[in-house]
């Protein structure tokens, strides 16, 4: 709303032929002051321009307009203006045919809206227009004052109690109504509806009288806010309105819209949504001073002054309860204080907390100091203090300190607490003394001044400080809290560092808290680090001299170490805990041991230091045991063995070398025990092999001329007792044993020899003799084979009937034969292969379980029956015979059979897997070969155009496979098309002989003359 000046504006609303906002007849604003904006009239004033006649009057057809109640309304807008208006009933409008109403509003500007606080009676009696002639014009004058009736016309009001009796309002209902009005004004969520038990023509008059009473007892802030209507036909929520007086009988119980509102039906005596719980000091004060306005108004002024600058507390009912008590105490009613001292003082302090309140609210500050004097006198007389009261004085000390107040008030409060604590100790009320100390600690300023005063007096220090600090240290939960407390006191009161009981209490508390720690070593490390940090920080803060002079930090350090060394349980100590002990770095643990006079403590210190070096240095050596006794060394090694047993890895070998370190004439380590430890704890044997390779370069295990003899013996014993098959694995030989140095290789060779079979050992011992014998035998074989070839050429072997090979085209043995693959058998000397292809001797070993006699080196003559050997058991091999080809290694000649597969298609040759195959020789049972070192992909160029791809399959033994025999690989069967003997053998066939050409007739020999084998031989 735009006001050209600050006068009071007017507006009249009624039914006329035309209005300011409409050109036809109807209800509209017909006149207004110049300063009123049209938008303000429409949005703010029009909603209050209304009137509904009482049901009782309309029902009986009442024509006398004077009997209809006037509806006086007052409300405060959001922009600060106050609207005071009245609506009256008109039996007839300008036509004389229908009833109407007229509303006259005064709009009081913002700067004058506060006048209602003191001038509410004049406002209620303002003169309003009852009718208006539009012929008079549409402009109303602006007013400087509200029009009032002459004094002679004013009525004399009855006393307040008489009015309440007349309206049937007792003390309970009055207090409820007053509380409801205050709550509605303050919170604004609920409305108050009052139904007076009076005829409708008296509603407005009685409502105004009751409103005058309510305004008389309402605090000023609520007078500034309250909005009301003195008459409404039905309860209806309206903006800005808190209190409405409605027609009798309109507050119906069944009306759900009123469930959450304050209602007062005085005809039935029923009120809702308002209860008076507990004490209501303000309401009690008002009731007792209802007819003593001379006493009530000063309180309201006092309350308004004390609430300045306190925001929402101005409209909080609790604020007026507290102020009502404080006002009465100020007037000398101390009984109210004695009833509830702590709450009175805490409420008083809330008013003094705002900045500058001590100056603006001197009356409340004076009240508080008066109450403090009463309490101070009591403790000075030896009485026990009230804990709640002491807390309030503590808070008051903080307030005056914050506001820069210095002087007698602070001294008196400190003296109060000194006497209060002393009284509790004198009465042996330790619990109350502890509570008072906690209160003092809650205010840093009070704590500093309190203990400054106490520590300056030796007697007070002995009575009040020493018992307190002892309890304080013992009440701490963790060892690190002890250091924090020491630092706190050193910062605020450096003189305590020289106090003997303080030093003693700190050491006792630290020792107890360390013993209670679940993990002692990490806790000790934390304390020692804290002490070092405290030394550095104290130098920066300027109190380093005090620390140095008092020696308290050295005392705490010594206490910490003493507890550690006396309480440490080495058997339960873990590696993780030890590694947290940073204070053991750089050999400080050794110095720690030297500082201990008790042997047990010194020993524990040396053990911890040695173990820490062992597990923190990258390459620890025997120096970690320097200065240790044999028993201490054993203790350290037991720790190491326990911690390393789950970490037997290559990166721990340096540490493992020390687990059985024991320097003697035979070596540096208990070698057998170490290897046994590795055997029991290593995840696999390969870790032990890795350790053996690592150890060959370590001085504990090797000397310039070879391994330490005791270590060599331990290695041999290990292989004999626990790992007899180690040298039979080619993988182990390639990955580990072949990488050994000369010194370690000698030990491996010796172990391999001692673990070999007796036959191999015999051959190794008689190698020269066997070479000579083998040469003689080989010469004889050559002669015999030459003779046999001569006889074959002259046809001696062709005189018999030639045995035809099986028909491979029939469904017999040759069924399911692949014609795209040609297979022939070939006998070669070990060390050579057909078509000059190299043969891996290791891959052509005799399968386990086969009985081929590899010691018989004579070639098989297809024309003769081989004689059965005289072996004790032709079907068994010596289990001790090594699998590493030791026979060929000593030069004994031998022969072997291999199968050659020729393929037309490369893809077929690449996927061909002959690791398991079956050989079917006519007249014999099927034989199985499992070749562990043969797999797919071993393909070479055959040199032939038609069958360019070749796969060679060594069988690992000598076996006669005649033409027509069948080979089964991967469920596919192949026919042997040819038998060949290499040129190095007694029976040779030219390598250039075409496939399928004639060879020495294999059918003249007895197929059973092949080496005796068990069925299903496996390699």
């Amino acid at each position: 709303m735009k006001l050209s000046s600050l006068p009071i504006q007017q507006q009249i609303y009624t039914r006329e032929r035309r209005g300011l906002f409409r050109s036809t007849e109807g209800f509209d604003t017909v006149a207004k002051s110049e300063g009123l904006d049209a938008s303000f009239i429409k949005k703010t004033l029009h909603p209050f321009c209304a009137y509904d006649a009482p049901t009782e009057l309309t029902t009986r057809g009442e024509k006398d307009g004077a009997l209809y109640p006037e509806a006086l309304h007052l409300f405060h807008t959001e922009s600060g203006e106050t609207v005071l208006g009245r609506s009256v009933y008109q039996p007839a409008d300008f036509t004389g045919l229908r009833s109407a109403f007229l509303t006259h509003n005064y709009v009081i500007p913002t700067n004058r809206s506060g006048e209602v606080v003191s001038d509410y009676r004049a406002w209620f009696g303002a003169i309003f227009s009852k009718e208006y002639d539009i012929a008079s014009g549409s402009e109303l004058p602006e007013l400087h004052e509200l029009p009032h009736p002459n004094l002679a016309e004013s009525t004399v009001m009855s006393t307040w109690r008489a009015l309440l009796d007349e309206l049937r309002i007792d003390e309970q209902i009055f207090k409820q109504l007053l509380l409801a009005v205050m709550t509605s004004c303050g919170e604004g969520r609920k409305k108050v509806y009052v139904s007076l038990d009076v005829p409708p023509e008296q509603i407005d008059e009685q409502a105004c009288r009751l409103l005058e009473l309510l305004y008389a007892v309402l605090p000023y802030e609520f007078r500034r806010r309250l909005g009301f209507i003195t008459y409404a036909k039905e309860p209806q929520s309206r903006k800005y309105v808190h209190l409405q007086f409605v027609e009798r009988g309109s507050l119906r119980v069944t009306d759900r819209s009123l469930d959450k509102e304050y209602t007062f039906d005085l005809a039935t005596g029923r009120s809702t949504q308002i209860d008076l719980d507990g004490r209501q000091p303000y309401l009690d004060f008002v009731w007792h001073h209802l007819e003593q306005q001379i006493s009530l108004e000063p309180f309201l002024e006092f309350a308004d002054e004390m609430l300045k600058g306190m925001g929402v507390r101005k409209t909080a009912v609790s604020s007026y309860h507290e102020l009502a008590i404080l006002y009465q105490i100020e007037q000398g009613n101390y009984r109210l204080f004695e009833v509830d001292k702590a709450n009175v003082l805490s409420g008083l302090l809330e008013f003094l907390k705002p900045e500058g309140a001590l100056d603006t609210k001197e009356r409340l500050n004076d009240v508080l100091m008066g109450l403090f004097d009463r309490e101070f006198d009591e403790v000075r007389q030896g009485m026990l203090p009230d804990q709640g009261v002491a807390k309030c004085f503590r808070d008051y000390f903080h307030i005056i300190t914050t506001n820069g107040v210095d002087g007698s008030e602070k001294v008196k409060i400190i003296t109060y607490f000194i006497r209060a604590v002393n009284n509790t100790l004198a009465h042996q009320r330790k619990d109350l003394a502890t509570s008072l100390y906690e209160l003092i600690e809650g205010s840093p300023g009070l704590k500093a001044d309190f203990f400054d005063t106490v520590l300056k007096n030796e007697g007070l220090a002995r009575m009040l400080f020493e018992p307190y600090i002892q309890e304080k240290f013992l009440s701490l939960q963790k060892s690190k809290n002890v250091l924090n407390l020491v630092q706190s006191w050193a910062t605020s009161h450096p003189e305590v560092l020289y106090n003997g009981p303080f030093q003693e209490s700190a050491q006792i508390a630290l020792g107890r808290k360390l013993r209670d720690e679940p993990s002692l070593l990490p806790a000790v490390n934390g304390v020692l680090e804290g002490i070092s940090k405290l030394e550095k920080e104290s130098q920066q803060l300027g109190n380093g001299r005090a620390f140095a002079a008092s020696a308290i930090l050295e005392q705490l350090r010594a206490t910490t170490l003493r507890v550690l060394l006396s309480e440490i349980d080495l058997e339960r100590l873990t590696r993780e805990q030890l590694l947290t002990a940073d204070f053991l770095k750089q050999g400080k643990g050794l110095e720690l041991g030297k500082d201990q006079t008790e042997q047990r403590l010194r020993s524990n210190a040396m053990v911890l230091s040695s173990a820490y070096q062992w597990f923190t240095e990258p390459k620890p050596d025997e120096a970690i045991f320097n200065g240790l006794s044999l028993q201490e060394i054993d203790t350290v090694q037991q720790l190491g063995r326990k911690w390393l047993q789950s970490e037997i890895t290559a990166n721990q070998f340096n540490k493992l070398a020390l687990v059985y370190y024991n320097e003697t004439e035979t070596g540096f380590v208990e070698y057998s025990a170490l290897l046994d430890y590795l055997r029991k704890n290593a995840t696999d044997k390969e870790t032990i092999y890795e350790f053996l390779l690592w150890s060959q370069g370590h001085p504990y295990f090797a000397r310039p001329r070879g391994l330490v003899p005791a270590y060599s013996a331990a290695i041999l014993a290990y292989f004999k007792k626990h790992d007899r098959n180690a040298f039979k694995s080619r993988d182990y030989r390639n990955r580990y044993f072949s990488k050994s140095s000369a010194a370690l290789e000698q030990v491996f060779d010796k172990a391999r020899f001692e673990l070999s079979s007796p036959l191999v050992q015999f051959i190794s011992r008689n190698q020269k003799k066997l070479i000579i014998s083998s040469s003689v035998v080989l010469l004889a074989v050559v002669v015999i084979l030459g003779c046999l070839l001569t006889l074959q050429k002259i046809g001696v072997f062709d005189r018999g009937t030639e045995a035809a090979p099986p028909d491979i085209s029939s469904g017999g043995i040759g069924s399911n034969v692949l014609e795209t693959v040609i297979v022939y058998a070939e006998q070669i000397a070990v060390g050579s292969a057909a078509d000059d292809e190299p043969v891996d001797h290791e891959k052509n070993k005799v399968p386990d379980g086969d009985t081929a006699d590899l010691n018989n080196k004579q070639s098989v003559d297809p024309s003769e029956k081989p004689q059965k050997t005289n072996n004790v058991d032709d079907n068994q091999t010596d289990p001790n015979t090594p699998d590493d080809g030791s026979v060929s290694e000593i030069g004994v000649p031998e022969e072997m059979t291999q199968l050659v597969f020729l393929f037309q298609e490369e893809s077929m040759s690449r996927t061909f897997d002959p690791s398991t195959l079956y050989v079917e020789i006519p007249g014999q049972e099927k034989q199985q070969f499992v070749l562990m070192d043969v797999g797919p992909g071993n393909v070479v160029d055959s040199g032939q155009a038609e069958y360019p791809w070749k796969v060679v399959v060594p069988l690992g033994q000598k076996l006669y496979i005649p033409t027509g025999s069948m080979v089964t690989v991967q469920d596919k069967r192949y026919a042997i098309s040819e038998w060949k003997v290499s040129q190095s053998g007694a029976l040779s066939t030219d390598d250039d002989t075409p496939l399928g050409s004639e060879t020495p007739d294999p059918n003249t020999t007895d197929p059973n003359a092949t080496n005796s084998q068990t069925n299903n031989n496996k390699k």
Side-chain angles (χ1 to χ4, degrees), residues 711-738:
Y711 185 42
S712 300
I715 295 175
L716 290 174
Y718 163 76
F719 283 113
K720 287 182 179 180
K721 293 180 181 179
H722 306 294
D723 200 359
R724 299 185 61 84
N725 296 320
F727 297 99
K728 294 181 180 181
S729 171
R730 179 181 301 170
D731 182 46
Y732 291 164
R733 291 198 302 272
N734 292 337
R735 291 169 56 193
Y736 303 109
F737 305 139
S738 63

Side-chain angles (χ1 to χ4, degrees), residues 208-238:
C208 283
R209 295 173 65 194
L210 184 56
L211 274 171
E212 186 177 347
L213 170 58
L214 291 175
Y215 265 86
V217 299
L218 276 174
Y220 292 170
E221 188 64 25
F222 295 98
R223 294 181 187 180
R224 299 184 185 100
R225 294 170 177 264
L226 179 60
F228 63 83
I229 298 177
T230 59
Y231 162 71
K233 180 180 179 180
E234 296 283 345
Q236 181 180 1
S237 179
R238 294 191 181 185

